[in-house]
Amino acid sequence: MDIADHLHVLDHEGRLLAAAAEAAGADAKVPTCPGWQVRDLLRHTGAVHRWAAGFVADGLTEPGPLGDGPDLDGDELVSWYRDSHRRLVDTLAAAPPDVACWTFHPAPCASPLAFWTRRQAHETTVHRYDAESAAGGTASRIATDFAVDGIDELLRGFHARPKSGVRTDRPRVLRVRPLDADAVWTVRLSDRPPVAGLGESGDAEAELAGPADQLYLALWNRLSVPRVTGDAELATLWRETSAIG
């Protein structure tokens, strides 16, 4: 997927998120984020949008604080979220391809613009799912190619960082396999951050598998893993330690 693809998804998913949040109401509990109400989801996601847009718009090359959402509620909070989302989409759409700014894991093709467009497309999709879980009904579809892209970003981006909590006291090998796509990852676990690579390399002690969209949400701890083979302890380890701080 390229920048234009990710930008299209980001635009679409943010609109869906706002509509679901508006339908659910600010007081609604978010089943996929225990302890959160819809107002917390809107404040968090809108703040992330503005934070990300700031790096690209201002060409900031050092990390900066995320900041809090505003002391708004109800319709005003939904409107603020929509404005935050639109600001991000417009900033990314207008940015020069060679914009230089900070990223928190390696940028695809060494392009910070590609990093932020991809990252925010996935950020927004996962939180759109959260908003729709609060509103009830059937969740919007996640395309297979986008889900595969998101699994790759999670395994080879997020969890390659020192902040990953997925650790084992001895080396272990986990396989991740979407059943409806030509993709597979081998994830090597140890007392250091996980090292994930594309391809089926060596034996694995456990495999997490399922349709790409379900597997994507499962790896973000929004659903149960559709199919676990081998040592189920590794699936439990992922569920209990993979939260992103």
Side-chain angles (χ1 to χ4, degrees):
M1 298 184 70
D2 60 19
I3 291 172
D5 295 326
H6 286 126
L7 189 63
H8 174 76
V9 173
L10 169 60
D11 188 16
H12 181 65
E13 293 287 339
R15 294 172 189 268
L16 290 177
L17 192 161
E22 190 170 44
D27 291 333
K29 293 182 179 180
V30 182
T32 48
C33 299
W36 271 19
Q37 294 174 294
V38 166
R39 62 173 55 87
D40 302 305
L41 181 65
L42 288 171
R43 288 171 182 157
H44 166 77
T45 313
V48 170
H49 287 343
R50 289 172 182 254
W51 177 74
F55 290 108
V56 177
D58 299 330
L60 302 177
T61 57
E62 297 292 334
L66 175 58
D68 298 320
D71 187 20
L72 298 173
D73 214 345
D75 291 344
E76 287 185 326
L77 182 58
V78 175
S79 294
W80 174 83
Y81 172 75
R82 285 192 166 110
D83 181 68
S84 304
H85 171 249
R86 179 48 43 197
R87 180 182 301 191
L88 174 64
V89 171
D90 290 348
T91 296
L92 294 170
D98 61 350
V99 63
C101 64
W102 177 76
T103 65
F104 57 85
H105 60 72
C109 303
S111 166
L113 181 59
F115 167 87
W116 283 112
T117 310
R118 183 193 201 197
R119 172 83 294 278
Q120 287 301 292
H122 290 295
E123 175 88 11
T124 308
T125 298
V126 171
H127 287 317
R128 180 271 298 163
Y129 183 84
D130 295 333
E132 289 183 343
S133 76
T138 302
S140 301
R141 178 178 177 271
I142 299 173
T144 298
D145 60 345
F146 182 73
V148 169
D149 180 75
I151 293 169
D152 188 70
E153 193 225 17
L154 180 65
L155 296 178
R156 297 204 295 157
F158 260 90
H159 283 291
R161 300 182 300 156
K163 293 178 70 172
S164 177
V166 184
R167 310 289 175 103
T168 55
D169 56 3
R170 61 183 176 86
R172 310 290 299 275
V173 180
L174 176 67
R175 196 96 71 211
V176 176
R177 188 189 306 274
L179 298 176
D180 51 352
D182 184 18
V184 63
W185 293 264
T186 299
V187 186
R188 301 187 184 281
L189 306 176
S190 68
D191 59 358
R192 299 180 62 79
V195 177
L198 284 168
E200 196 164 346
S201 175
D203 295 331
E205 295 165 69
E207 180 174 290
L208 312 183
D213 59 342
Q214 295 179 37
L215 191 56
Y216 171 71
L217 291 170
L219 290 169
W220 278 105
N221 288 323
R222 265 56 183 187
L223 295 175
S224 297
V225 176
R227 189 183 81 185
V228 179
T229 54
D231 189 348
E233 179 183 301
L234 289 183
T236 301
L237 174 77
W238 184 276
R239 184 180 67 250
E240 293 179 348
T241 65
S242 66
I244 302 297

